[in-house]
Amino acid sequence: MQTVSPCVTCPHRDQGFCGTLMEKRLEESSAQQRANWQHHRIVPAGKQIATRNEVSEDVFVLCGGWGFRFFQLPDGRRQILNFLLPGDLFAATSVFEQRFHFSVKALTEAQVSGMRREEVQARLDANPRILMALAESCAAESEAADKSLTALGQYSAEERIAHLLLHLMRRIAARSVIREQRYPFPLRQQHIADAVGLTTVHVSRIFSLFRDRGIIVVSDGILTVVNLPELERIGVLN
Amino acid sequence: MQTVSPCVTCPHRDQGFCGTLMEKRLEESSAQQRANWQHHRIVPAGKQIATRNEVSEDVFVLCGGWGFRFFQLPDGRRQILNFLLPGDLFAATSVFEQRFHFSVKALTEAQVSGMRREEVQARLDANPRILMALAESCAAESEAADKSLTALGQYSAEERIAHLLLHLMRRIAARSVIREQRYPFPLRQQHIADAVGLTTVHVSRIFSLFRDRGIIVVSDGILTVVNLPELERIGVLN
DNA sequence: CGGCAGTTTGATGTTACTCAATTTAAGTGG
DNA sequence: CCACTTAAATTGAGTAACATCAAACTGCCG
């Protein structure tokens, strides 16, 4: 599980929270912050940050805001692979690949940090704790991918949406203190639809259903969980 | 892409083909074959080889036959995460995790090789080429998972099945020479159904459809591709 | 010959999609 | 703060895709 801590590598850290284990390990190995092998930028909401098949010398971390990783199909369909929260690497495997196999967009205004891949790899060799942290990220991503696959293959619409919400809630709670079951929630229904393989219309109906049954309410970018046990009953696989 | 080569670490190698890069790298580092940190066994078709949450000191490779990785839900539903072919690690990340986050079953009679995790890790430290090979496996698995996710989230039944077949065909062809577009194919329709999130009844209908349209024929454990361009038109997500 | 596992086929039901209209919310500029 | 504009969410009606249930068929093996 991830712990709450301010962003250590990002110069914009006063504006948000990062602090994954991977990031901490990298920082540990580096004497000076804001070294010249890192760069940072702020991107507006909706802006595409990375494109499939694009070559990059950098490994990216989302330092602030939300983003998402996705595949775009030629006919316009889009699959959102996962959502990126502060502290997340775009993908753990991108430390070893110079080409993105996915695209990334900013969901809100976001802070993105890039680190030279060869520098990251050099630190990997020098410090086995970084390698271990990276291996853990890989394993966590792989397990999350397997769970998403199960959700899309086996779950009904209600189950998929409940599952997505619970998964996001756990990740948000690991990064900031949650009071009264109110979670920041910048997703549009279109994002949910593209993540769980439904249409926006159907997502809206399920949300209405949940609202009417007193399970959750979404408004003003805030997700309020009214009946957590019921949400878990619907959405927890195992 | 993987190359055709006999299984190097497995004592049963005359009975099948393995030869992933990862395996070759491991062998490279080891003077004697059949070292005492490896063990091998033959498991009958249908036998469960690994169970979710189970702890193991070993890292497993499928040396011969076919297997599959899956999640079992309490209500009986099952999601097949991927199929294992000779030479495949059960999962690349299992080199770092002592607990399976998935279950594995033998699809045909299969040969399984287990290697002490600490021995594998020791070789990882000693030989950077092994680490690189493992990183490549991780990246390949992650990309495959993202593609499967897209297939389940966005594709119609026809597209999903065509996609699965093409994906398997490429992997089989990387391990053995294919003549006349005839591929060994030990899957039951139930396996396909559980892999692509459909019912067996619907899988059967799609197969009939493909057969009637002269695209593929499956019989006697052999998949014959009659019209490859058409199959690719349906199933390639690019 | 009987039994079993796997596949095929038909009839019917349900879930989720499509299309279209309407309402609500979120900005924007005056 | 209010009219205006635009994006997002909601609702209804009709439809397509896939599931469910049940029966029949096939090949295989004892």
Side-chain angles (χ1 to χ4, degrees):
Chain A
M1 270 305 115
Q2 288 164 353
T3 52
V4 179
S5 85
C7 178
V8 287
T9 60
C10 176
H12 316 297
R13 63 186 170 290
D14 37 321
Q15 292 164 37
F17 288 93
C18 299
T20 54
L21 186 57
M22 175 67 196
E23 218 189 348
K24 266 191 264 177
R25 291 284 174 266
L26 268 171
E27 176 55 22
E28 224 172 58
S29 74
S30 164
Q32 80 276 40
Q33 290 187 3
R34 313 192 193 195
N36 63 356
W37 52 279
Q38 298 179 38
H39 58 89
H40 304 266
R41 66 195 161 107
I42 298 185
V43 300
K47 171 119 183 156
Q48 185 147 341
I49 311 174
T51 304
R52 184 161 144 77
N53 291 328
E54 193 179 42
V55 172
S56 167
E57 300 300 314
D58 292 318
V59 177
F60 290 99
V61 175
L62 188 74
C63 290
W66 289 46
F68 60 92
R69 223 161 53 79
F70 67 102
F71 275 178
Q72 185 74 56
L73 303 188
D75 60 5
R77 289 179 286 184
R78 174 177 80 169
Q79 176 66 39
I80 292 184
L81 303 165
N82 61 8
F83 294 98
L84 300 172
L85 266 50
D88 287 338
L89 285 168
F90 282 11
T93 58
S94 62
V95 173
F96 300 105
E97 292 184 309
Q98 66 166 6
R99 199 178 280 273
F100 295 115
H101 75 262
F102 48 76
S103 302
V104 178
K105 263 193 184 173
L107 184 67
T108 64
E109 178 176 277
Q111 296 141 33
V112 176
S113 168
M115 302 172 282
R116 290 256 136 205
R117 182 176 297 105
E118 42 187 36
E119 290 289 341
V120 174
Q121 287 180 348
R123 277 157 184 77
L124 232 51
D125 293 339
N127 185 343
R129 297 183 64 181
I130 302 183
L131 182 59
M132 271 304 148
L134 181 62
E136 269 174 46
S137 297
C138 271
E141 280 181 16
S142 153
E143 180 165 0
D146 287 345
K147 282 189 179 167
S148 298
L149 207 63
T150 304
L152 291 193
Q154 305 299 323
Y155 281 18
S156 69
E158 284 188 30
E159 291 172 317
R160 288 186 219 182
I161 291 177
H163 178 255
L164 173 64
L165 295 181
L166 288 164
H167 181 62
L168 282 173
M169 284 160 52
R170 270 194 291 108
R171 295 178 62 210
I172 297 168
R175 284 167 174 78
S176 58
V177 179
I178 299 301
R179 279 187 303 260
E180 296 168 358
Q181 296 286 354
R182 290 162 52 87
Y183 298 81
F185 197 78
L187 310 197
R188 311 278 97 197
Q189 292 187 355
Q190 184 68 64
H191 297 119
I192 300 182
D194 289 345
V196 300
L198 298 170
T199 58
T200 55
V201 174
H202 204 63
V203 170
S204 170
R205 289 191 214 279
I206 303 286
F207 270 37
S208 303
L209 220 72
F210 282 179
R211 195 182 318 120
D212 295 349
R213 288 200 239 144
I215 303 175
I216 57 162
V217 181
V218 179
S219 122
D220 270 337
I222 304 280
L223 163 68
T224 307
V225 179
V226 182
N227 187 343
L228 181 59
E230 180 63 5
L231 188 63
E232 285 174 334
R233 194 190 60 72
I234 299 171
V236 164
L237 54 79
N238 171 18
Chain B
M1 274 301 117
Q2 288 163 350
T3 54
V4 179
S5 84
C7 178
V8 288
T9 58
C10 176
H12 318 295
R13 63 185 169 290
D14 37 324
Q15 294 163 34
F17 289 92
C18 299
T20 54
L21 186 57
M22 176 65 196
E23 217 188 346
K24 268 190 264 179
R25 291 284 174 267
L26 268 173
E27 176 55 22
E28 226 172 58
S29 74
S30 164
Q32 81 276 41
Q33 289 186 3
R34 312 192 194 195
N36 65 355
W37 52 279
Q38 298 180 38
H39 58 89
H40 304 267
R41 66 193 162 111
I42 299 186
V43 300
K47 171 119 184 154
Q48 185 147 340
I49 311 174
T51 304
R52 184 162 146 76
N53 291 329
E54 193 179 41
V55 172
S56 167
E57 300 300 313
D58 291 318
V59 177
F60 289 100
V61 175
L62 188 74
C63 289
W66 288 47
F68 60 92
R69 222 161 53 80
F70 67 101
F71 274 179
Q72 184 75 56
L73 303 188
D75 60 5
R77 289 179 287 184
R78 173 176 83 168
Q79 177 65 39
I80 291 184
L81 304 165
N82 63 5
F83 293 97
L84 300 172
L85 267 48
D88 287 338
L89 284 168
F90 282 12
T93 56
S94 62
V95 173
F96 301 105
E97 292 183 308
Q98 66 165 10
R99 199 178 280 273
F100 295 114
H101 74 263
F102 48 77
S103 302
V104 178
K105 264 193 185 175
L107 185 66
T108 64
E109 178 175 277
Q111 296 140 35
V112 176
S113 168
M115 302 172 282
R116 290 257 135 205
R117 182 176 297 105
E118 42 187 34
E119 288 290 339
V120 174
Q121 287 181 349
R123 276 156 184 77
L124 231 52
D125 292 339
N127 186 342
R129 297 183 64 182
I130 303 184
L131 182 59
M132 270 305 148
L134 182 62
E136 269 173 46
S137 295
C138 272
E141 280 180 17
S142 153
E143 180 166 0
D146 288 345
K147 282 187 179 169
S148 297
L149 207 62
T150 305
L152 290 192
Q154 304 300 321
Y155 281 19
S156 69
E158 286 188 29
E159 292 172 316
R160 286 185 221 181
I161 290 176
H163 179 254
L164 173 62
L165 295 181
L166 288 164
H167 182 61
L168 282 173
M169 284 160 51
R170 271 194 290 109
R171 295 177 62 211
I172 298 167
R175 284 166 174 78
S176 59
V177 179
I178 298 302
R179 280 186 304 259
E180 296 167 357
Q181 296 285 352
R182 291 162 53 86
Y183 298 81
F185 197 78
L187 311 196
R188 310 281 96 195
Q189 293 187 357
Q190 183 68 65
H191 297 119
I192 301 182
D194 289 346
V196 299
L198 298 169
T199 57
T200 54
V201 174
H202 205 64
V203 171
S204 171
R205 289 191 215 279
I206 304 284
F207 270 34
S208 305
L209 219 71
F210 282 178
R211 194 182 319 119
D212 295 348
R213 288 200 239 147
I215 302 175
I216 56 163
V217 181
V218 179
S219 119
D220 271 336
I222 304 281
L223 163 67
T224 307
V225 179
V226 182
N227 188 342
L228 181 59
E230 181 63 6
L231 188 64
E232 284 174 334
R233 193 190 61 71
I234 299 171
V236 165
L237 55 67
N238 169 23

